[in-house]
Amino acid sequence: MMEELDKWVSRVAESFFLFIFILSQSTFAQEGFVSIACCAEANSTDPITNINWTTDSPFFLDRVISCQKISKPVVSQTGYNEARIFNIASGKRCYTLPTTEGEDYLIRGTFLSGASEHSSFGVSVGVTVLSLVRSSENSDVEGLFKASSNYIDFCLVKKEGAPYISQLVLRPLKDLDYLKDFPSSVLKLVKRINLGGNGTDIRYPNDTSDRIWEPKSSLGPTNQFIARPSNQILHFKFNVTVKAPIEVLRTALTDLNRLEILHNDLETGDSDYVVFLYFLELSDMVRLGQRVLDIYVNNEKKSTSFDVVGNLSNYNEVVFNVRANGSLNVTLVKAPGSVLGPICNSYEIFQVHQWDPQTSPEDVEVSLKVKHELLMYNQQNKVFQSWFGDPCLPLPWDGIFCERIAGSTVITKVDLYSRNLIGPLLPDITELTYLNTLNLSSNGFSGVIPSFPSSSMLRLLDLSNNDIMGPVPQSFASMPKLEMIYLGCNPHFENELPSGFNSSKLNTDSQSCSMERPGSMKRRIFIGSVACGSFLLTVALVIYFVRVYKQKLIPRGRFNGKGIKGHPMMKNVIFSLPSIDDVAIKSISIETFTLEYIEAATEKYRTLIGEGGFGSVYRGTLPDGQEVAVKVRSATSTQGTREFENELNLLSAIRHENLVPLLGYCCENDQEILVYPFMSNGSLQDRLYGEASKRKTLDWATRLSIALGAARGLMHLHTFAGRCIIHRDVKSSNILLDHSMCAKVADFGFSKYAPQEGDSGASLEVRGTAGYLDPEYYMTHHLSDKSDVFSFGVVLLEIVSGREPLNIRRPRNEWSLVEWAKPYIREAKIDELVDPSIKGGYHAEALWRVVEVAWSCIEPFSAYRPCMVDIVRELEDALIIENNASEYMRSIESSGSNHFSVVFEKRNVPPAIPTETSPTLTQNLAPPEPR
Ligand SMILES: *[C@@H]1O[C@H](CO)[C@@H](O)[C@H](O)[C@H]1NC(C)=O
Ligand SMILES: *[C@@H]1O[C@H](CO)[C@@H](O)[C@H](O)[C@H]1NC(C)=O
Ligand SMILES: *[C@@H]1O[C@H](CO)[C@@H](O)[C@H](O)[C@H]1NC(C)=O
Ligand SMILES: *[C@@H]1O[C@H](CO)[C@@H](O)[C@H](O)[C@H]1NC(C)=O
Ligand SMILES: *[C@@H]1O[C@H](CO)[C@@H](O)[C@H](O)[C@H]1NC(C)=O
Ligand SMILES: *[C@@H]1O[C@H](CO)[C@@H](O)[C@H](O)[C@H]1NC(C)=O
């Protein structure tokens, strides 16, 4: 066979063909090439390829970057061995390269790993995240895309450790028609193989678009190698456009019966792939019908009787789309009746990524102007570490908050609170169409307040604690949505208000002027400066109600613009709201029960509903008919005395509608017994993924109101009497649900007062439950309310995803809910994250709010986590958004009066869910498992 082939090959000169079209060798043009050598000291030209490389030093002005020579383990094929390392705390770094709109391009980053520390980071083209690069291997990330504007961002999105990059190239694809069927996708290169090649990679100038073709000399033991010697010119019969370069087509593999292209190393999880196969019949003697093959992709027959010379040319190519998970098997089988076995010269496999739309171009433009203005005065400021590429996607710039409104991503909040920024206030920021909150407080901004356009959506403007001068521009009198301007603590501010300005919207409160500026401490999600403290809390609540109520008049999302302005009922409603918290200590009377009474109520401990290390929980009924749960510490158990007393002490001092109340206790005959109301709807855990969840799915609105209830309970603890009580065992099994599904936080056995000034704060014993435990607390033993915040973040993730915080029966990378969720959150892949059983049953923005809160709660550094006060506020917003859709529409229709209060109460009283007849309370009041 081989001999036969060789004969054909050698006889090529004698053969006669009509050559209509001969592909000429490339002109060696580098037209449109951008070749960046990161950290190179100067521009240079590669002596072999003639590619002109430029240094990347103009891209980065600041110094939070460094260069490193890569010595291990391999040097790149081009011999280049520098890498730029971005030692950034968070966010992304981008290279922005020029493109021509509508043209197709190849973009490729080369990541040579020299890092001694482990790192991993995402790589995005535009805002589409293509790949995760890990420092354990050198890698290239290549994408093919159609330019949608006159630039493209190539970004490294930090995950762990420091991102790095060695080279970045952009190549026009000219008329290589890869994207014809994928106009709104990025094709991420998986493999580009030159079959039969056994030398080095083929790239520019042999490939005019500088694609890199990796040689592969065999696919299987019986493969044969065929080639046209390089001194023979290759002819293409007929007028065909040839995608693969000639040098690649010059070699091929063949076999008597089958060629099997097997890749088992693809990403796991279903993805769409596209496979290009290239064929050039290297023997001029082969006629129609002589080399015919059937093509299978992952055991599915994709092509029957494919004739390599079937299109009258000797060149042919086929394209297959395939959905695959982890592996691809492309098998070429000799078709029945074919004389010769299959041949293949080269192939490419791409993963198809949907092209994610960028942030609204207007907002991008404004944000770049703002960045530029800020940079003029604040070159070295750390806030700009992430201000590269798109302002919102895939990660927003530090201090910028975005939402999807009317189908595009826009900037809605700018929070640069306390970032040590100086310079004049930013006039361009007023051009952000959807900006509703601007917080520049506690900086060193000076100058005058810029004038906003009358169409501005601005609700809150916080310029307090700066050095702003008056006056308030006239435009503020007519801004329709404006609720409040904070201008306190600006020593040079003259209280000059425009005519017609409602002075109740101006707050020049100077009480907090002496407040220490938190310096470098970042506040990433939340606006305002409410600390965990009872006084500020009260203030915050008042502000909050005003905000919420006005907010109702500014419908968001899809109701945008349809709202009714200034409903007359509003003002009356604001202050008739039920007060959420009464921070003052109430004197609570806890009853003392006799043992006899308890025995009667529980019918001598007949119904056991939970058990734990300290004893058991029984169900009972008081003489007045109230159902109770009775927690009994067994006389033999030494464990739990302290917890028992702790809980008793705490619960006799504190009471809140979202904390499980203590009805009474009994201390007789060495028995220690606590009596609580029975929570007929079990625990949140049970409802999310326990037995109860199998009977009925917990709908999203109820989940949200449970989250809010629990958050309020914790907020109450954290702000209790001005001194923080830390729960230390926040978890979904400690969030119980009463008959109306109102959430109540339970189990205060481990709760503690927060360390006060003077206390060391470090304690020897770390308490908590695996999966919920704050890593910082675990490592430093330093207890703070932020440890509860972390655990609560995990609970929020459970609520969103319906997954357990820790499950070692899942694949290794999914054991921990937090670790599993992080990449999806970072890439905003909500669909992957959300509990399949509530798919379609939520308002996306509300869900996203909750995810955002969860994300900030699980910050590794406790200083970056929000307070419960902030969390409650965000969850309230989320619930309003969720309820707005239906409630708001209903309220417009009903001409009835007081409908805003209806809306509000609705938030507190979750949708009634019928109480099940056989409630399970297993574990509910039991202490956590021993750990
Ligand atoms: C590459 O650099 C060389 C030397 O500086 C220059 O002559 C040549 O024009 C450059 N080529 C391109 C395509 O820019
Ligand atoms: C390097 O090349 C770039 C792009 O051609 C040019 O803008 C820059 O001035 C050059 N730098 C040096 C140091 O020659
Ligand atoms: C492939 O490798 C073999 C053995 O090493 C060598 O004889 C042959 O010339 C190589 N072919 C090409 C095209 O480099
Ligand atoms: C690629 O092109 C270079 C320069 O034209 C040439 O010397 C080399 O032989 C080619 N490589 C292959 C593998 O054909
Ligand atoms: C080959 O086809 C292309 C596009 O289909 C056309 O522009 C070109 O004129 C054709 N060449 C010949 C020689 O027919
Ligand atoms: C690949 O596909 C072919 C054709 O469907 C099949 O015969 C072969 O067993 C497959 N190989 C593997 C490793 O799955």
Side-chain angles (χ1 to χ4, degrees), residues 486-553:
Y486 297 90
L487 276 166
C489 309
N490 283 290
H492 297 101
F493 176 69
E494 284 146 32
N495 208 342
E496 247 180 274
L497 298 180
S499 56
F501 183 80
N502 179 349
S503 62
S504 67
K505 292 180 179 175
L506 178 69
N507 180 325
T508 51
D509 188 2
S510 296
Q511 237 167 347
S512 53
C513 290
S514 58
M515 216 173 67
E516 202 183 325
R517 289 184 186 181
S520 62
M521 208 186 93
K522 289 201 240 164
R523 296 176 47 84
R524 312 225 300 192
I525 290 201
F526 300 99
I527 312 294
S529 55
V530 179
C532 291
S534 59
F535 166 70
L536 285 175
L537 170 71
T538 318
V539 174
L541 285 172
V542 172
I543 294 171
Y544 169 70
F545 288 136
V546 173
R547 199 165 75 92
V548 165
Y549 273 81
K550 301 229 166 134
Q551 194 173 3
K552 288 207 166 303
L553 301 177

Side-chain angles (χ1 to χ4, degrees), residues 415-631:
D415 181 0
L416 295 172
Y417 165 81
S418 188
R419 302 305 189 100
N420 293 316
L421 293 165
I422 57 165
L425 274 180
L426 317 161
D428 288 324
I429 214 165
T430 61
E431 292 167 32
L432 291 172
T433 316
Y434 289 96
L435 186 71
N436 63 43
T437 308
L438 175 59
N439 184 354
L440 301 175
S441 61
S442 299
N443 281 295
F445 285 112
S446 53
V448 296
I449 304 171
S451 183
F452 281 74
S454 58
S455 61
S456 170
M457 309 280 277
L458 196 70
R459 292 199 330 247
L460 292 174
L461 174 63
D462 191 343
L463 299 175
S464 57
N465 249 315
N466 278 291
D467 193 10
I468 310 287
M469 280 182 281
V472 175
Q474 183 59 46
S475 63
F476 280 75
S478 52
M479 280 157 59
K481 317 278 185 188
L482 189 70
E483 287 161 24
M484 196 58 92
I485 315 175
Y486 297 90
L487 276 166
C489 309
N490 283 290
H492 297 101
F493 176 69
E494 284 146 32
N495 208 342
E496 247 180 274
L497 298 180
S499 56
F501 183 80
N502 179 349
S503 62
S504 67
K505 292 180 179 175
L506 178 69
N507 180 325
T508 51
D509 188 2
S510 296
Q511 237 167 347
S512 53
C513 290
S514 58
M515 216 173 67
E516 202 183 325
R517 289 184 186 181
S520 62
M521 208 186 93
K522 289 201 240 164
R523 296 176 47 84
R524 312 225 300 192
I525 290 201
F526 300 99
I527 312 294
S529 55
V530 179
C532 291
S534 59
F535 166 70
L536 285 175
L537 170 71
T538 318
V539 174
L541 285 172
V542 172
I543 294 171
Y544 169 70
F545 288 136
V546 173
R547 199 165 75 92
V548 165
Y549 273 81
K550 301 229 166 134
Q551 194 173 3
K552 288 207 166 303
L553 301 177
I554 309 169
R556 296 203 215 196
R558 41 184 192 264
F559 296 99
N560 206 25
K562 286 193 202 160
I564 354 163
K565 289 196 176 112
H567 191 275
M569 285 313 294
M570 195 192 85
K571 283 205 173 66
N572 300 334
V573 180
I574 295 176
F575 295 107
S576 63
L577 296 172
S579 108
I580 294 176
D581 283 77
D582 180 357
V583 185
I585 306 175
K586 291 174 188 150
S587 60
I588 298 163
S589 64
I590 302 277
E591 275 189 74
T592 321
F593 296 125
T594 62
L595 200 54
E596 197 186 348
Y597 184 88
I598 303 271
E599 280 174 355
T602 58
E603 296 177 49
K604 285 214 164 27
Y605 313 110
R606 210 164 63 108
T607 320
L608 181 70
I609 53 177
E611 209 148 9
F614 80 104
S616 315
V617 184
Y618 301 90
R619 190 171 168 179
T621 312
L622 298 186
D624 64 0
Q626 181 173 14
E627 293 212 276
V628 289
V630 176
K631 193 170 175 178

Side-chain angles (χ1 to χ4, degrees), residues 258 260-262 264 296-300 329-331 333:
R258 58 155 68 199
E260 203 170 287
I261 298 170
L262 210 59
N264 285 325
Y296 296 81
V297 179
N298 280 358
N299 298 324
E300 184 192 336
N329 169 3
V330 180
T331 301
V333 182

Side-chain angles (χ1 to χ4, degrees), residues 196-200 217 225 227-228 251:
N198 67 348
T200 50
S217 53
F225 163 87
R228 268 306 176 74
T251 58

